[in-house]
Amino acid sequence: MPLIDFLRRNAARRGPFVLVCFILGLMAGSGAFMLKRLTALISRLATDGVAADTIPWRFLWLPIVGVVLAGILQRYIVRQPLDHGTRRINEALRSRGCRIAPSTILSPIAGASFTLGLGGSAGSEGPIAYASAAMGSNLGRLLGMPPRLMAALVAIGGGAGIAGIFKSPVGGFFFAIEVLSVELSGISIVGLAVACITAGMTAFVLSGFTPDVVFSHIPPLEPRLLLWALPLGVVCGLYSIYYSFIGNRIGRFYTTMRHPALKWVASGMSIGLLIFALPSLYGEGYGVIARILDGHGIEALTYGSIIGMIGHMSPLATLLLLSGAAALVKSIASASTNDGGGVAGDFAPTIFAGAVVGFFFAAVATMATHADVSLPALVLMAMGGVMAGAVRAPLMAMFIVAEMTGAYSLLLPVALTATLSYLIVKLASLRSARSGS
């Protein structure tokens, strides 16, 4: 083809390289849309008929099916690991030639659709980032890119995948900078920006111009929110330490299981028991987050919940019990999904955890101070705070939360909460390193 021949001859020049990044952004955004649609289709078919007043027995076995299917795909069909997409991208960047198999373009999308659609309590960002990095790697090989641009295209593909799945161009940009820690030249920075904007806009257009988390009223910026960011940032930082600690322990537990089938079934059973008790943990949980932001958090957390059916508790007691329980076990559910054989991501679970932490914090703050607390604002701030602390990427976290919800007016308090949470986690890790040495 004339276009391919032209790009092969001029791939290292600024204009043609930016064009390649534009094409990569289109591919990544389309892949993100396809992953969302497949996951939603499988989830809708799997949960059809589940009502709020019925015991969700199927939740006990649906995650087992999802994890087993994802495990079979990895072990016997593509014969390569697809879990922890960010880790796989970093491995590819360290390898000679930055080569990722062509089968990786579609296989993470298939694995994540099974895992999340059938109940896996994690996110879709890891698989699409890995798939998009594979798009960049294979596009670079097709065009005969030099080694330095091959590495850049892998990182740019990963960033574009994040931009597409969260509809967050700036978040995807900072993912490549903060999480992948890739040193990009001037031409690569421009290419990354073009790819992330293109991927985010492609996914946004294909999904009907709607953000992932839609709620009715975005609260305005108020000066007192900056004061609330101080205690909330501390809470998010401490919770992030707990979240990471529990997740690491669960992950190490699954690595001790040598028999793959035993690990798949054990993780599926663990996820099933958790979502049987707390159906709000099913999948990515964006619908639950939206209802919390709209002021219907109790209904969202009690829907189909065994805990919510027990006794006749007051609304406040129900709120504290269910949001507290969800916050305590979310890291267990996420680690079981990601380390037990499923194909999923690590970022979206921290956003869900932040939402329930913010919900819990707002209830306690209202009781303690009798102040007129803005629930949606505190929830959004906690989403950024927990993501920043658990992932250790504050810039990515603050922009993903703002872009995926459209709450740009709250960027400043979200940024302050995220920064404080991140600093607390970093100080704790430095202290731990010193005591260990």
Side-chain angles (χ1 to χ4, degrees), residues 32-411:
F33 172 74
M34 181 171 66
L35 173 54
K36 288 284 190 182
R37 279 301 177 92
L38 282 173
T39 302
L41 174 62
I42 294 173
S43 178
R44 187 166 59 249
L45 293 174
T47 60
D48 184 44
V50 175
D53 57 349
T54 60
I55 298 176
W57 295 108
R58 72 181 72 177
F59 287 174
L60 291 172
W61 56 265
L62 279 176
I64 300 175
V65 177
V67 173
V68 168
L69 289 175
I72 291 172
L73 174 69
Q74 296 177 83
R75 187 172 180 84
Y76 300 109
I77 299 178
V78 298
R79 297 183 179 180
Q80 60 175 324
L82 304 172
D83 58 341
H84 294 287
T86 301
R87 182 188 304 168
R88 305 302 168 194
I89 297 173
N90 281 318
E91 291 172 354
L93 289 170
R94 291 193 298 268
S95 67
R96 185 176 181 180
C98 299
R99 294 193 172 191
I100 304 176
S103 61
T104 311
I105 294 175
L106 293 178
S107 52
I109 295 175
S113 300
F114 292 137
T115 303
L116 300 174
L118 293 173
S121 187
S124 53
E125 67 286 340
I128 194 59
Y130 192 26
S132 301
M135 296 174 192
S137 174
N138 286 278
L139 192 57
R141 289 170 62 188
L142 175 66
L143 300 176
M145 291 280 186
R148 65 180 181 87
L149 292 184
M150 279 289 294
L153 278 180
V154 170
I156 290 170
I162 295 296
I165 206 67
F166 287 117
K167 301 172 190 172
S168 171
V170 182
F173 183 92
F174 281 116
F175 166 80
I177 302 298
E178 286 186 302
V179 180
L180 298 183
S181 302
V182 177
E183 295 183 5
L184 300 174
S185 62
I187 184 176
S188 301
I189 289 289
V190 174
L192 174 62
V194 168
C196 289
I197 293 171
T198 305
M201 290 305 300
T202 299
F204 190 61
V205 170
L206 290 176
S207 62
F209 301 92
T210 57
D212 283 331
V213 178
V214 181
F215 59 108
S216 57
H217 176 67
I218 298 175
L221 174 63
E222 298 177 359
R224 59 180 174 174
L225 291 177
L226 301 179
L227 296 177
W228 278 114
L230 301 178
L232 184 55
V234 173
V235 169
C236 289
L238 296 175
Y239 174 79
S240 298
I241 295 169
Y242 162 82
Y243 183 97
S244 299
F245 175 78
I246 296 297
N248 290 334
R249 285 296 181 94
I250 297 297
R252 286 199 293 269
F253 168 74
Y254 283 113
T255 58
T256 62
M257 294 186 178
R258 300 302 179 188
H259 196 288
L262 176 62
K263 181 170 70 172
W264 302 340
V265 173
S267 65
M269 289 178 62
S270 300
I271 302 164
L273 287 170
L274 290 173
I275 66 172
F276 178 73
L278 294 168
S280 59
L281 298 176
Y282 194 110
E284 292 180 295
Y286 290 159
V288 176
I289 295 174
R291 297 199 69 191
I292 290 174
L293 290 168
D294 262 334
H296 303 293
I298 296 179
E299 295 90 333
L301 292 173
T302 56
Y303 188 92
S305 171
I306 299 297
I307 296 176
M309 297 178 186
I310 298 174
H312 298 282
M313 297 181 294
S314 67
L316 180 59
T318 303
L319 184 161
L320 294 175
L321 176 61
L322 290 175
S323 60
L328 287 174
V329 303
K330 181 60 179 179
S331 58
I332 301 174
S334 174
S336 296
T337 304
N338 286 301
D339 294 296
V343 179
D346 302 313
F347 297 168
T350 65
I351 296 175
F352 177 90
V356 293
V357 167
F359 193 34
F360 186 94
F361 179 88
V364 173
T366 301
M367 283 192 304
T369 65
H370 302 287
D372 183 17
V373 177
S374 174
L375 170 65
L378 292 184
V379 169
L380 288 164
M381 291 158 63
M383 287 163 61
V386 173
M387 187 180 192
V391 182
R392 303 190 183 189
L395 291 171
M396 180 187 74
M398 65 181 73
F399 281 105
I400 282 181
V401 169
E403 290 178 299
M404 74 182 295
T405 61
Y408 299 100
S409 61
L410 295 179
L411 182 59

